[in-house]
Amino acid sequence: LVKLLKANDILGVAWGTTTLEIARQMPQYHVEGVRVVSLNGCTYENTMDEGLFEVSRVFGRKLRASLFHLYTPVIVSSEEVKRVYLSDNHTRRTMEYIAQSNITLNGVGNFSRDSMLYRYGYITEGERAALEAKGTVGNFCSLYYDIDGNPVAPDLNARTIGISLE
């Protein structure tokens, strides 16, 4: 990662155990003007270390970079609620940085009852069962896909705040 970073790069990071471990193992490394931006919203109930703010905070400290967080839930109840969040100036600016990020770092989220999104109620049992029936194998920044990388939950993905699968 440090070999890839150049002046004024925007590093997009997702929360998770893998990205947190990469951040912790990365040496102190400063490149002028680097910004770190969160790629997706957060789970408010999550107090575990792999939460969004901890991952980006460690990267920011190691890189002495400016931080831009998405202060939104990762998945909201409707597309209308998502539009309200996206209408906020800070959220809109962060989404622009996400679109401009030229390096992104994320793990591959699991699809099981142990996933944070399921445990904290962002995905209901009915939604989980429907995703399973569609052949879901994992998620990228809380966006679900099948074995071929195709999106399987357009309605759920439409309520997810952050980077898109595209």
Side-chain angles (χ1 to χ4, degrees):
L1 179 59
V2 296
K3 290 179 181 179
L4 294 174
L5 288 169
K6 299 179 296 304
N8 302 311
D9 277 346
I10 301 176
L11 171 64
V13 296
W15 44 264
T17 54
T18 302
T19 51
L20 180 59
E21 192 57 31
I22 290 169
R24 287 178 174 161
Q25 297 300 319
M26 189 177 73
Q28 295 284 338
Y29 188 78
H30 178 68
V31 177
E32 195 63 39
V34 169
R35 290 163 282 177
V36 174
V37 62
S38 56
L39 292 176
N40 55 337
C42 61
T43 59
Y44 289 116
E45 295 86 352
N46 181 17
T47 58
M48 298 166 59
D49 278 349
E50 68 267 16
L52 164 69
F53 303 117
E54 178 66 9
V55 172
S56 55
R57 184 188 66 76
V58 174
F59 273 112
R61 189 183 75 241
K62 293 276 184 100
L63 297 170
R64 293 189 307 184
S66 300
L67 297 177
F68 298 90
H69 293 125
L70 260 178
Y71 292 105
T72 68
V74 63
I75 299 173
V76 293
S77 58
S78 69
E79 288 183 62
E80 178 61 30
V81 171
K82 180 178 176 177
R83 279 191 291 278
V84 170
Y85 274 109
L86 294 178
S87 70
D88 174 72
N89 289 336
H90 177 80
T91 303
R92 191 169 38 252
R93 180 180 65 174
T94 303
M95 291 296 291
E96 288 170 5
Y97 284 141
I98 290 171
Q100 295 168 14
S101 59
N102 56 317
I103 300 173
T104 60
L105 184 64
N106 61 278
V108 176
N110 71 36
F111 177 68
S112 72
R113 286 185 169 92
D114 291 330
S115 78
M116 277 196 287
L117 294 173
Y118 179 73
R119 283 191 328 230
Y120 294 126
Y122 287 87
I123 296 180
T124 66
E125 176 55 31
E127 289 169 327
R128 194 206 63 72
L131 288 168
E132 186 174 42
K134 292 179 181 180
T136 300
V137 296
N139 77 76
F140 164 78
C141 292
S142 309
L143 300 164
Y144 291 89
Y145 55 85
D146 65 16
I147 193 73
D148 296 315
N150 299 311
V152 294
D155 53 330
L156 184 59
N157 291 352
R159 297 185 287 117
T160 302
I161 300 177
I163 195 169
S164 68
L165 283 173
E166 294 77 27

